[in-house]
Coordinates of all heavy atoms in Angstrom, one line a residue:
M1 N -7.1 11.3 -0.3 CA -7.3 10.1 0.5 C -6.0 9.5 0.8 O -5.1 9.5 0.0 CB -8.2 9.1 -0.3 CG -8.5 7.9 0.4 SD -9.5 6.6 -0.5 CE -11.0 7.5 -0.6
K2 N -5.8 9.1 2.0 CA -4.6 8.5 2.5 C -4.4 7.1 1.9 O -5.4 6.4 1.5 CB -4.6 8.4 4.0 CG -4.6 9.7 4.8 CD -4.7 9.4 6.3 CE -4.7 10.7 7.0 NZ -4.7 10.5 8.5
T3 N -3.1 6.7 1.7 CA -2.8 5.5 1.1 C -3.5 4.3 1.9 O -4.0 3.4 1.3 CB -1.3 5.2 1.1 OG1 -0.7 6.3 0.4 CG2 -0.9 3.9 0.4
S4 N -3.4 4.4 3.2 CA -4.0 3.3 4.0 C -5.5 3.2 3.8 O -6.1 2.1 3.7 CB -3.8 3.5 5.5 OG -4.3 4.7 5.9
E5 N -6.2 4.3 3.6 CA -7.6 4.3 3.2 C -7.9 3.7 1.9 O -8.8 2.9 1.7 CB -8.2 5.7 3.3 CG -8.2 6.3 4.7 CD -8.6 7.8 4.7 OE1 -8.5 8.4 3.6 OE2 -9.0 8.3 5.8
M6 N -7.0 4.0 0.9 CA -7.1 3.4 -0.4 C -6.9 1.9 -0.4 O -7.7 1.1 -1.0 CB -6.2 4.1 -1.4 CG -6.5 5.5 -1.7 SD -5.5 6.2 -3.1 CE -3.9 6.3 -2.3
V7 N -5.9 1.5 0.4 CA -5.6 0.0 0.5 C -6.8 -0.7 1.1 O -7.3 -1.7 0.7 CB -4.3 -0.2 1.3 CG1 -4.2 -1.7 1.6 CG2 -3.1 0.3 0.5
F8 N -7.3 -0.1 2.2 CA -8.5 -0.7 2.9 C -9.7 -0.8 2.0 O -10.3 -1.9 1.9 CB -8.8 0.2 4.2 CG -9.8 -0.4 5.1 CD1 -9.4 -1.3 6.1 CD2 -11.2 -0.2 4.9 CE1 -10.3 -1.9 7.0 CE2 -12.1 -0.8 5.8 CZ -11.7 -1.6 6.8
N9 N -10.0 0.3 1.3 CA -11.1 0.3 0.4 C -11.0 -0.7 -0.7 O -11.9 -1.4 -1.1 CB -11.4 1.7 -0.1 CG -11.9 2.6 0.9 OD1 -12.4 2.2 2.0 ND2 -11.7 3.9 0.7
Y10 N -9.8 -0.8 -1.3 CA -9.5 -1.8 -2.4 C -9.7 -3.2 -1.9 O -10.4 -4.0 -2.5 CB -8.1 -1.6 -2.9 CG -7.8 -2.7 -3.9 CD1 -8.3 -2.6 -5.2 CD2 -7.1 -3.8 -3.6 CE1 -8.0 -3.6 -6.2 CE2 -6.8 -4.8 -4.5 CZ -7.3 -4.7 -5.8 OH -7.1 -5.7 -6.7
L11 N -9.2 -3.5 -0.7 CA -9.4 -4.9 -0.2 C -10.8 -5.2 0.0 O -11.3 -6.3 -0.3 CB -8.6 -5.0 1.2 CG -7.1 -4.9 1.0 CD1 -6.4 -4.8 2.4 CD2 -6.5 -6.1 0.3
K12 N -11.6 -4.2 0.6 CA -13.0 -4.5 0.7 C -13.7 -4.7 -0.6 O -14.6 -5.5 -0.7 CB -13.7 -3.3 1.5 CG -13.4 -3.3 3.0 CD -14.2 -2.2 3.7 CE -15.6 -2.6 3.8 NZ -16.4 -1.8 4.7
S13 N -13.3 -3.9 -1.6 CA -14.0 -4.0 -2.9 C -13.7 -5.4 -3.6 O -14.4 -5.8 -4.5 CB -13.5 -2.9 -3.9 OG -12.2 -3.1 -4.3
Q14 N -12.6 -6.0 -3.1 CA -12.3 -7.3 -3.7 C -12.9 -8.5 -2.8 O -12.6 -9.6 -3.1 CB -10.7 -7.5 -3.7 CG -10.0 -6.5 -4.6 CD -10.5 -6.7 -6.0 OE1 -10.5 -7.7 -6.6 NE2 -11.0 -5.5 -6.6
G15 N -13.8 -8.1 -1.9 CA -14.5 -9.1 -1.1 C -13.7 -9.6 0.1 O -14.1 -10.6 0.8
L16 N -12.6 -9.0 0.4 CA -11.8 -9.3 1.6 C -12.4 -8.6 2.8 O -13.2 -7.7 2.7 CB -10.4 -9.0 1.4 CG -9.7 -9.8 0.2 CD1 -8.3 -9.3 0.0 CD2 -9.8 -11.3 0.4
M17 N -12.0 -9.0 4.0 CA -12.5 -8.4 5.2 C -11.3 -7.8 6.0 O -10.9 -8.3 7.1 CB -13.2 -9.4 6.1 CG -14.4 -10.0 5.4 SD -15.2 -11.3 6.3 CE -15.6 -10.6 7.8
P18 N -10.8 -6.7 5.5 CA -9.6 -6.0 6.2 C -10.1 -5.4 7.5 O -11.2 -5.1 7.7 CB -9.2 -4.9 5.2 CG -10.4 -4.6 4.5 CD -11.2 -5.9 4.4
E19 N -9.1 -5.3 8.5 CA -9.4 -4.6 9.7 C -8.2 -3.8 10.1 O -7.0 -4.3 9.8 CB -9.9 -5.5 10.8 CG -8.9 -6.7 11.1 CD -9.5 -7.7 12.0 OE1 -10.5 -8.3 11.7 OE2 -8.8 -7.9 13.1
F20 N -8.3 -2.7 10.8 CA -7.2 -1.9 11.3 C -6.8 -2.5 12.7 O -7.7 -2.8 13.5 CB -7.6 -0.5 11.5 CG -7.6 0.3 10.2 CD1 -8.9 0.5 9.5 CD2 -6.5 0.7 9.6 CE1 -8.9 1.2 8.3 CE2 -6.5 1.4 8.4 CZ -7.7 1.7 7.7
D21 N -5.5 -2.6 12.9 CA -5.1 -3.1 14.3 C -4.8 -1.8 15.1 O -5.1 -0.7 14.7 CB -3.9 -4.0 14.2 CG -2.6 -3.3 13.7 OD1 -2.6 -2.0 13.6 OD2 -1.6 -4.0 13.5
E22 N -4.3 -2.1 16.3 CA -4.1 -1.0 17.3 C -3.1 0.1 16.8 O -3.1 1.2 17.3 CB -3.7 -1.5 18.7 CG -2.3 -2.2 18.7 CD -2.4 -3.7 18.2 OE1 -3.5 -4.2 17.9 OE2 -1.3 -4.2 18.1
R23 N -2.2 -0.3 15.8 CA -1.3 0.7 15.3 C -1.7 1.3 14.0 O -0.9 1.9 13.3 CB 0.1 0.0 15.1 CG 0.7 -0.4 16.4 CD 2.1 -1.0 16.2 NE 2.7 -1.4 17.5 CZ 3.5 -2.3 17.6 NH1 3.9 -3.0 16.6 NH2 4.0 -2.6 18.8
N24 N -2.9 1.0 13.6 CA -3.5 1.5 12.4 C -3.0 0.8 11.1 O -3.0 1.4 10.0 CB -3.4 3.1 12.3 CG -4.5 3.6 11.4 OD1 -5.6 3.1 11.4 ND2 -4.3 4.7 10.7
N25 N -2.4 -0.4 11.3 CA -2.0 -1.2 10.2 C -3.2 -2.0 9.8 O -4.1 -2.2 10.6 CB -0.8 -2.1 10.6 CG 0.4 -1.3 11.0 OD1 0.8 -0.4 10.3 ND2 1.0 -1.7 12.1
I26 N -3.1 -2.6 8.6 CA -4.3 -3.3 8.1 C -4.0 -4.8 8.1 O -3.0 -5.2 7.4 CB -4.7 -2.8 6.7 CG1 -5.0 -1.3 6.7 CG2 -5.8 -3.7 6.1 CD1 -5.2 -0.7 5.3
L27 N -4.8 -5.6 8.7 CA -4.7 -7.1 8.7 C -5.8 -7.6 7.8 O -6.9 -7.1 7.8 CB -4.9 -7.6 10.1 CG -3.9 -7.4 11.1 CD1 -4.4 -7.7 12.5 CD2 -2.7 -8.3 10.8
F28 N -5.5 -8.6 7.0 CA -6.5 -9.3 6.2 C -6.0 -10.7 5.8 O -4.8 -11.0 5.9 CB -6.8 -8.5 4.9 CG -5.7 -8.4 3.9 CD1 -5.6 -9.3 2.8 CD2 -4.7 -7.4 4.0 CE1 -4.6 -9.2 1.9 CE2 -3.7 -7.3 3.1 CZ -3.7 -8.2 2.1
K29 N -6.9 -11.6 5.5 CA -6.6 -12.9 5.1 C -6.9 -13.1 3.6 O -7.9 -12.5 3.1 CB -7.4 -13.9 5.9 CG -7.0 -14.1 7.3 CD -7.6 -15.3 8.0 CE -7.2 -15.4 9.4 NZ -5.9 -16.0 9.5
Y30 N -6.1 -13.8 3.0 CA -6.3 -14.1 1.5 C -5.8 -15.5 1.3 O -4.6 -15.9 1.6 CB -5.5 -13.1 0.7 CG -5.6 -13.4 -0.8 CD1 -6.9 -13.2 -1.5 CD2 -4.6 -13.9 -1.5 CE1 -7.0 -13.5 -2.8 CE2 -4.7 -14.2 -2.9 CZ -5.9 -14.0 -3.5 OH -6.0 -14.3 -4.9
Q31 N -6.6 -16.4 0.8 CA -6.3 -17.8 0.5 C -5.7 -18.5 1.8 O -4.6 -19.1 1.7 CB -5.4 -17.9 -0.7 CG -6.1 -17.5 -2.0 CD -5.3 -17.8 -3.2 OE1 -4.1 -18.1 -3.1 NE2 -5.9 -17.6 -4.4
M32 N -6.3 -18.3 2.9 CA -6.0 -18.9 4.1 C -4.6 -18.5 4.7 O -4.1 -19.1 5.6 CB -5.9 -20.5 4.0 CG -7.2 -21.1 3.4 SD -8.6 -20.9 4.6 CE -8.1 -22.1 5.8
K33 N -4.1 -17.3 4.2 CA -2.9 -16.8 4.8 C -3.2 -15.4 5.3 O -4.0 -14.7 4.8 CB -1.8 -16.7 3.7 CG -1.4 -18.1 3.3 CD -0.4 -18.0 2.1 CE 0.1 -19.4 1.7 NZ -0.8 -20.3 1.2
T34 N -2.5 -15.0 6.4 CA -2.6 -13.7 6.9 C -1.6 -12.7 6.4 O -0.4 -13.1 6.3 CB -2.5 -13.8 8.5 OG1 -3.5 -14.6 9.0 CG2 -2.6 -12.4 9.1
F35 N -2.1 -11.5 6.0 CA -1.2 -10.5 5.5 C -1.3 -9.2 6.4 O -2.4 -9.0 7.0 CB -1.6 -10.1 4.1 CG -1.3 -11.2 3.1 CD1 -2.2 -12.2 2.9 CD2 -0.2 -11.2 2.3 CE1 -1.9 -13.2 2.0 CE2 0.1 -12.2 1.4 CZ -0.8 -13.2 1.2
L36 N -0.3 -8.4 6.4 CA -0.3 -7.2 7.2 C 0.3 -6.1 6.3 O 1.4 -6.2 5.8 CB 0.6 -7.4 8.4 CG 0.8 -6.2 9.3 CD1 -0.5 -5.8 9.9 CD2 1.8 -6.6 10.5
Y37 N -0.5 -5.1 6.1 CA -0.1 -3.9 5.4 C 0.3 -2.9 6.5 O -0.5 -2.5 7.3 CB -1.2 -3.3 4.6 CG -0.9 -1.9 4.1 CD1 0.0 -1.7 3.0 CD2 -1.4 -0.8 4.7 CE1 0.3 -0.4 2.6 CE2 -1.1 0.5 4.2 CZ -0.2 0.6 3.2 OH 0.1 1.9 2.8
F38 N 1.6 -2.5 6.5 CA 2.1 -1.5 7.4 C 1.7 -0.1 6.9 O 2.2 0.3 5.9 CB 3.6 -1.6 7.6 CG 4.0 -2.8 8.4 CD1 4.4 -4.0 7.8 CD2 3.9 -2.8 9.8 CE1 4.7 -5.1 8.6 CE2 4.2 -3.9 10.6 CZ 4.6 -5.1 10.0
N39 N 1.0 0.6 7.7 CA 0.5 2.0 7.4 C 1.7 2.9 7.4 O 2.4 3.0 8.4 CB -0.6 2.4 8.4 CG -1.0 3.8 8.0 OD1 -0.8 4.3 7.0 ND2 -1.7 4.4 9.0
N40 N 1.9 3.6 6.3 CA 2.9 4.7 6.3 C 2.4 5.8 5.4 O 2.9 6.0 4.3 CB 4.3 4.1 5.8 CG 5.4 5.1 5.9 OD1 5.2 6.3 6.3 ND2 6.6 4.7 5.6
D41 N 1.4 6.5 5.9 CA 0.8 7.6 5.1 C 1.7 8.7 4.9 O 1.5 9.6 4.0 CB -0.5 8.0 5.8 CG -1.6 7.1 5.7 OD1 -1.7 6.3 4.7 OD2 -2.5 7.0 6.6
E42 N 2.9 8.8 5.6 CA 3.8 9.9 5.4 C 4.6 9.7 4.2 O 5.2 10.6 3.6 CB 4.8 10.0 6.6 CG 4.1 9.9 8.0 CD 3.0 10.8 8.2 OE1 3.1 12.0 7.9 OE2 1.9 10.4 8.6
D43 N 4.8 8.4 3.7 CA 5.6 8.1 2.5 C 4.7 7.4 1.5 O 4.6 6.2 1.5 CB 6.8 7.3 2.9 CG 7.8 7.0 1.8 OD1 7.5 7.4 0.6 OD2 8.8 6.4 2.0
Q44 N 4.1 8.1 0.6 CA 3.1 7.5 -0.3 C 3.8 6.7 -1.4 O 3.1 5.9 -2.1 CB 2.3 8.6 -0.9 CG 1.4 9.3 0.1 CD 0.4 10.3 -0.5 OE1 0.5 10.6 -1.7 NE2 -0.5 10.8 0.3
A45 N 5.1 6.8 -1.6 CA 5.8 6.0 -2.6 C 6.2 4.6 -2.1 O 6.7 3.8 -2.8 CB 7.0 6.8 -3.1
F46 N 6.0 4.4 -0.8 CA 6.5 3.1 -0.2 C 5.2 2.3 0.2 O 4.3 2.8 0.8 CB 7.3 3.4 1.1 CG 7.9 2.1 1.7 CD1 8.9 1.5 1.0 CD2 7.5 1.6 2.9 CE1 9.5 0.3 1.5 CE2 8.0 0.5 3.4 CZ 9.0 -0.2 2.7
F47 N 5.3 1.0 -0.2 CA 4.2 0.1 0.0 C 4.7 -1.1 0.7 O 5.6 -1.8 0.2 CB 3.5 -0.3 -1.3 CG 2.3 -1.1 -1.2 CD1 1.0 -0.4 -1.0 CD2 2.3 -2.4 -1.2 CE1 -0.1 -1.2 -0.9 CE2 1.1 -3.2 -1.1 CZ -0.1 -2.5 -0.9
N48 N 4.3 -1.4 1.9 CA 4.9 -2.4 2.8 C 3.8 -3.4 3.1 O 3.1 -3.2 4.0 CB 5.5 -1.8 4.0 CG 6.3 -2.8 4.8 OD1 6.2 -4.0 4.7 ND2 7.2 -2.3 5.7
L49 N 3.8 -4.5 2.4 CA 2.9 -5.6 2.6 C 3.6 -6.8 3.0 O 4.6 -7.3 2.3 CB 2.1 -5.9 1.3 CG 1.1 -7.0 1.4 CD1 -0.1 -6.7 2.4 CD2 0.5 -7.3 0.0
T50 N 3.3 -7.4 4.2 CA 4.0 -8.5 4.8 C 3.2 -9.7 4.9 O 2.0 -9.6 5.3 CB 4.6 -8.1 6.1 OG1 5.4 -6.9 6.0 CG2 5.4 -9.2 6.8
M51 N 3.8 -10.9 4.7 CA 3.2 -12.2 5.0 C 4.1 -12.8 6.1 O 5.1 -13.4 5.7 CB 3.0 -13.1 3.8 CG 2.2 -14.3 4.0 SD 1.9 -15.3 2.5 CE 3.5 -15.8 2.1
P52 N 3.8 -12.6 7.3 CA 4.7 -13.0 8.4 C 4.6 -14.5 8.7 O 3.7 -15.2 8.4 CB 4.2 -12.2 9.6 CG 2.8 -11.9 9.3 CD 2.6 -11.8 7.8
C53 N 5.7 -14.9 9.3 CA 5.8 -16.3 9.8 C 5.5 -17.4 8.8 O 4.7 -18.3 9.0 CB 5.0 -16.5 11.1 SG 5.3 -15.3 12.3
I54 N 6.2 -17.3 7.7 CA 5.9 -18.3 6.6 C 6.9 -19.5 6.6 O 6.7 -20.4 5.8 CB 5.8 -17.6 5.2 CG1 7.1 -17.0 4.9 CG2 4.7 -16.7 5.2 CD1 7.2 -16.5 3.4
F55 N 8.0 -19.4 7.4 CA 9.0 -20.4 7.4 C 9.8 -20.4 8.7 O 10.2 -19.3 9.1 CB 9.9 -20.2 6.2 CG 10.9 -21.3 5.9 CD1 10.5 -22.4 5.2 CD2 12.2 -21.3 6.4 CE1 11.3 -23.5 5.0 CE2 13.0 -22.4 6.2 CZ 12.6 -23.5 5.5
D56 N 10.0 -21.5 9.3 CA 10.7 -21.6 10.5 C 12.2 -21.6 10.2 O 12.7 -22.4 9.5 CB 10.4 -22.8 11.3 CG 9.0 -22.8 12.0 OD1 8.6 -21.6 12.3 OD2 8.4 -23.8 12.1
V57 N 12.9 -20.6 10.8 CA 14.4 -20.5 10.7 C 15.0 -21.0 11.9 O 14.6 -20.6 13.0 CB 14.8 -19.0 10.4 CG1 16.3 -19.0 10.3 CG2 14.2 -18.5 9.2
T58 N 15.9 -22.0 11.8 CA 16.5 -22.6 12.9 C 18.0 -22.4 12.8 O 18.5 -21.9 11.8 CB 16.3 -24.1 13.0 OG1 16.9 -24.7 11.8 CG2 14.8 -24.4 13.0
D59 N 18.8 -22.7 13.9 CA 20.2 -22.6 13.8 C 20.8 -23.5 12.7 O 21.8 -23.2 12.0 CB 20.9 -23.0 15.1 CG 20.6 -22.0 16.2 OD1 20.3 -20.8 15.9 OD2 20.7 -22.3 17.4
E60 N 20.1 -24.6 12.5 CA 20.6 -25.6 11.5 C 20.4 -25.1 10.0 O 21.2 -25.4 9.1 CB 19.9 -27.0 11.6 CG 20.3 -27.7 12.9 CD 19.6 -27.2 14.1 OE1 18.4 -26.6 14.0 OE2 20.1 -27.2 15.2
N61 N 19.3 -24.4 9.7 CA 19.0 -24.0 8.4 C 19.2 -22.5 8.1 O 19.0 -22.0 7.0 CB 17.6 -24.4 8.0 CG 16.5 -23.6 8.7 OD1 16.8 -22.6 9.3 ND2 15.3 -24.0 8.5
R62 N 19.7 -21.8 9.1 CA 19.8 -20.3 8.9 C 20.7 -19.9 7.7 O 20.3 -19.0 7.0 CB 20.4 -19.7 10.2 CG 20.5 -18.2 10.2 CD 20.9 -17.6 11.5 NE 19.9 -17.7 12.5 CZ 18.8 -16.8 12.6 NH1 18.8 -15.8 11.8 NH2 17.9 -17.0 13.5
M63 N 21.8 -20.5 7.5 CA 22.7 -20.1 6.4 C 22.0 -20.4 5.1 O 22.1 -19.6 4.1 CB 24.0 -20.9 6.5 CG 25.2 -20.1 5.9 SD 25.2 -18.4 6.6 CE 26.0 -17.7 5.3
E64 N 21.4 -21.5 4.9 CA 20.7 -21.9 3.7 C 19.5 -20.9 3.4 O 19.3 -20.5 2.3 CB 20.1 -23.3 3.8 CG 21.2 -24.4 3.7 CD 20.6 -25.7 4.0 OE1 19.4 -26.0 3.6 OE2 21.3 -26.6 4.5
V65 N 18.9 -20.5 4.5 CA 17.8 -19.5 4.3 C 18.3 -18.2 3.9 O 17.8 -17.6 3.0 CB 17.0 -19.4 5.7 CG1 16.0 -18.2 5.6 CG2 16.3 -20.7 6.0
F66 N 19.4 -17.7 4.5 CA 20.0 -16.5 4.1 C 20.4 -16.5 2.6 O 20.3 -15.5 1.9 CB 21.3 -16.1 4.9 CG 20.9 -15.4 6.2 CD1 21.4 -15.9 7.4 CD2 20.2 -14.2 6.2 CE1 21.1 -15.2 8.6 CE2 19.9 -13.5 7.4 CZ 20.3 -14.1 8.6
E67 N 21.0 -17.6 2.2 CA 21.4 -17.7 0.8 C 20.2 -17.7 -0.2 O 20.2 -17.0 -1.2 CB 22.2 -19.0 0.5 CG 23.5 -19.0 1.2 CD 24.2 -20.4 1.1 OE1 23.7 -21.3 0.5 OE2 25.3 -20.5 1.7
A68 N 19.1 -18.3 0.2 CA 17.9 -18.3 -0.6 C 17.3 -16.9 -0.6 O 16.8 -16.4 -1.6 CB 16.8 -19.3 0.0
L69 N 17.2 -16.2 0.6 CA 16.7 -14.8 0.7 C 17.5 -13.9 -0.2 O 17.0 -13.1 -1.0 CB 16.8 -14.3 2.1 CG 15.9 -15.0 3.2 CD1 16.2 -14.4 4.5 CD2 14.5 -15.0 2.8
N70 N 18.8 -14.1 -0.2 CA 19.7 -13.2 -1.0 C 19.5 -13.4 -2.5 O 19.4 -12.4 -3.2 CB 21.2 -13.5 -0.6 CG 22.1 -12.5 -1.2 OD1 21.9 -11.3 -1.0 ND2 23.2 -12.9 -1.8
E71 N 19.3 -14.6 -2.9 CA 19.0 -14.9 -4.3 C 17.7 -14.3 -4.8 O 17.7 -13.6 -5.8 CB 19.0 -16.4 -4.6 CG 18.8 -16.8 -6.0 CD 18.8 -18.2 -6.3 OE1 19.4 -19.0 -5.5 OE2 18.3 -18.6 -7.3
V72 N 16.7 -14.4 -4.0 CA 15.4 -13.8 -4.3 C 15.5 -12.3 -4.3 O 15.0 -11.6 -5.3 CB 14.3 -14.3 -3.3 CG1 13.0 -13.5 -3.6 CG2 14.0 -15.8 -3.5
N73 N 16.2 -11.7 -3.3 CA 16.3 -10.3 -3.3 C 17.1 -9.7 -4.5 O 16.8 -8.6 -5.0 CB 17.0 -9.8 -2.0 CG 16.1 -10.0 -0.8 OD1 14.9 -10.0 -0.9 ND2 16.7 -10.1 0.4
E74 N 18.1 -10.5 -5.0 CA 18.9 -10.0 -6.1 C 18.1 -10.2 -7.4 O 18.4 -9.5 -8.4 CB 20.2 -10.8 -6.2 CG 21.2 -10.4 -5.1 CD 22.5 -11.2 -5.2 OE1 22.5 -12.2 -5.9 OE2 23.4 -10.8 -4.5
T75 N 17.2 -11.1 -7.5 CA 16.6 -11.4 -8.8 C 15.1 -11.0 -9.0 O 14.6 -11.1 -10.0 CB 16.6 -12.9 -9.1 OG1 15.9 -13.6 -8.0 CG2 18.1 -13.4 -9.2
T76 N 14.6 -10.4 -7.9 CA 13.2 -10.0 -8.0 C 13.0 -8.5 -7.6 O 13.6 -8.1 -6.6 CB 12.3 -10.8 -7.0 OG1 12.6 -12.2 -7.2 CG2 10.8 -10.6 -7.1
K77 N 12.3 -7.8 -8.5 CA 12.3 -6.3 -8.3 C 11.4 -5.9 -7.2 O 11.7 -4.9 -6.5 CB 11.7 -5.7 -9.6 CG 12.7 -5.7 -10.7 CD 12.1 -5.0 -11.9 CE 13.1 -5.0 -13.1 NZ 12.6 -4.2 -14.2
V78 N 10.3 -6.5 -6.9 CA 9.3 -6.0 -6.0 C 9.3 -6.7 -4.7 O 8.5 -6.3 -3.8 CB 7.9 -6.0 -6.7 CG1 6.9 -5.4 -5.8 CG2 8.0 -5.3 -8.0
V79 N 10.1 -7.7 -4.5 CA 10.0 -8.4 -3.2 C 11.3 -8.2 -2.4 O 12.4 -8.2 -3.0 CB 9.8 -10.0 -3.5 CG1 9.9 -10.8 -2.2 CG2 8.5 -10.2 -4.1
K80 N 11.2 -8.1 -1.1 CA 12.3 -8.0 -0.3 C 12.1 -9.0 0.9 O 11.1 -8.9 1.6 CB 12.5 -6.6 0.3 CG 13.6 -6.5 1.3 CD 13.6 -5.0 1.9 CE 14.4 -4.9 3.1 NZ 14.3 -3.6 3.7
L81 N 12.9 -10.0 1.0 CA 12.8 -11.0 2.0 C 13.7 -10.7 3.2 O 14.8 -10.3 3.0 CB 13.1 -12.4 1.5 CG 12.3 -12.9 0.4 CD1 12.8 -14.3 -0.1 CD2 10.8 -13.0 0.8
T82 N 13.2 -10.8 4.4 CA 14.0 -10.6 5.6 C 13.6 -11.6 6.7 O 12.6 -12.3 6.6 CB 13.7 -9.2 6.2 OG1 12.3 -9.1 6.6 CG2 14.0 -8.1 5.2
I83 N 14.5 -11.8 7.6 CA 14.3 -12.7 8.8 C 13.9 -11.8 9.9 O 14.6 -10.8 10.2 CB 15.5 -13.5 9.1 CG1 15.7 -14.5 8.0 CG2 15.3 -14.2 10.4 CD1 17.0 -15.4 8.2
A84 N 12.8 -12.1 10.6 CA 12.4 -11.3 11.7 C 11.8 -12.3 12.8 O 11.0 -13.2 12.5 CB 11.3 -10.3 11.3
D85 N 12.3 -12.2 14.0 CA 11.8 -13.0 15.1 C 12.0 -14.5 14.8 O 11.1 -15.3 15.2 CB 10.4 -12.7 15.5 CG 10.2 -11.2 15.9 OD1 11.1 -10.7 16.5 OD2 9.1 -10.7 15.6
G86 N 13.0 -14.9 14.1 CA 13.2 -16.3 13.9 C 12.5 -16.9 12.7 O 12.7 -18.0 12.3
N87 N 11.6 -16.1 12.1 CA 10.9 -16.5 10.9 C 11.2 -15.5 9.8 O 11.5 -14.4 10.0 CB 9.4 -16.5 11.1 CG 9.0 -17.6 12.1 OD1 9.2 -18.8 11.9 ND2 8.4 -17.1 13.2
Y88 N 11.1 -16.0 8.5 CA 11.3 -15.0 7.5 C 10.0 -14.5 7.0 O 8.9 -15.2 7.1 CB 12.3 -15.4 6.4 CG 11.8 -16.3 5.3 CD1 11.1 -15.9 4.2 CD2 12.2 -17.7 5.4 CE1 10.8 -16.7 3.2 CE2 11.8 -18.5 4.4 CZ 11.1 -18.1 3.3 OH 10.8 -18.9 2.3
R89 N 9.9 -13.4 6.4 CA 8.7 -12.8 6.0 C 8.9 -12.1 4.6 O 10.1 -11.8 4.3 CB 8.2 -11.8 7.0 CG 9.1 -10.6 7.2 CD 8.6 -9.7 8.2 NE 9.6 -8.5 8.3 CZ 9.3 -7.5 9.0 NH1 8.1 -7.3 9.6 NH2 10.1 -6.5 9.1
I90 N 7.9 -12.0 3.9 CA 8.0 -11.3 2.6 C 7.5 -9.9 2.8 O 6.4 -9.6 3.3 CB 7.1 -12.0 1.5 CG1 7.7 -13.4 1.3 CG2 7.1 -11.2 0.2 CD1 6.8 -14.2 0.3
V91 N 8.4 -9.0 2.4 CA 8.0 -7.6 2.4 C 8.1 -7.0 1.0 O 9.1 -7.1 0.4 CB 9.0 -6.8 3.4 CG1 8.6 -5.3 3.4 CG2 9.0 -7.4 4.8
S92 N 7.0 -6.5 0.5 CA 7.0 -6.0 -0.8 C 7.1 -4.5 -0.8 O 6.4 -3.8 0.0 CB 5.7 -6.3 -1.6 OG 5.5 -7.7 -1.7
A93 N 8.0 -3.9 -1.5 CA 8.2 -2.5 -1.5 C 8.2 -2.0 -3.0 O 9.0 -2.5 -3.8 CB 9.6 -2.1 -0.9
M94 N 7.2 -1.2 -3.3 CA 7.1 -0.8 -4.7 C 7.3 0.7 -4.7 O 6.8 1.4 -3.9 CB 5.7 -1.1 -5.3 CG 5.5 -2.6 -5.3 SD 4.0 -3.1 -6.2 CE 2.7 -2.3 -5.3
E95 N 8.0 1.2 -5.7 CA 8.2 2.6 -5.8 C 7.6 3.1 -7.1 O 7.4 2.4 -8.1 CB 9.7 3.0 -5.9 CG 10.3 2.5 -4.5 CD 11.8 2.9 -4.5 OE1 12.2 3.8 -5.2 OE2 12.5 2.2 -3.8

């Protein structure tokens, strides 16, 4: 079974309502927040779960945000924070 199918089935078994988007990624809501699982069936050791657009990054706060992202990335094993499209997102990568 492909990783994306396992993720989809697990989410359904937990009572969530996942759906595949046009790129075969999985969208679902949990506790009023939207999550996106990026499908990468070619690399079964990589798990990419994103919670997009969780904080507005502006020119005024960009440096403070980078410092906070860097601290989290250095001290947390399973989370990788990045800035994308002016907002930062949480990307979890587990090996």
Side-chain angles (χ1 to χ4, degrees):
M1 181 180 291
K2 294 180 180 182
T3 304
S4 59
E5 293 169 341
M6 290 189 294
V7 170
F8 189 89
N9 291 338
Y10 175 78
L11 293 169
K12 282 186 74 167
S13 76
Q14 297 302 304
L16 301 173
M17 298 175 57
E19 57 187 59
F20 285 99
D21 69 7
E22 65 279 353
R23 294 184 179 151
N24 209 32
N25 298 315
I26 300 171
L27 290 164
F28 66 97
K29 287 191 181 281
Y30 178 71
Q31 294 187 351
M32 305 294 289
K33 293 177 177 67
T34 300
F35 291 84
L36 177 62
Y37 168 77
F38 286 98
N39 180 16
N40 190 353
D41 286 329
E42 315 309 311
D43 185 355
Q44 294 184 354
F46 187 69
F47 188 86
N48 189 341
L49 179 64
T50 300
M51 188 171 68
C53 303
I54 60 171
F55 190 82
D56 288 328
V57 179
T58 65
D59 289 337
E60 292 79 28
N61 70 9
R62 182 173 289 278
M63 208 53 206
E64 291 174 28
V65 171
F66 274 125
E67 290 172 5
L69 297 178
N70 192 48
E71 182 177 338
V72 171
N73 288 335
E74 287 180 347
T75 60
T76 308
K77 289 184 178 183
V78 182
V79 173
K80 175 182 169 185
L81 298 177
T82 60
I83 292 179
D85 300 326
N87 293 300
Y88 78 83
R89 62 185 182 166
I90 296 177
V91 178
S92 299
M94 299 190 300
E95 298 182 25

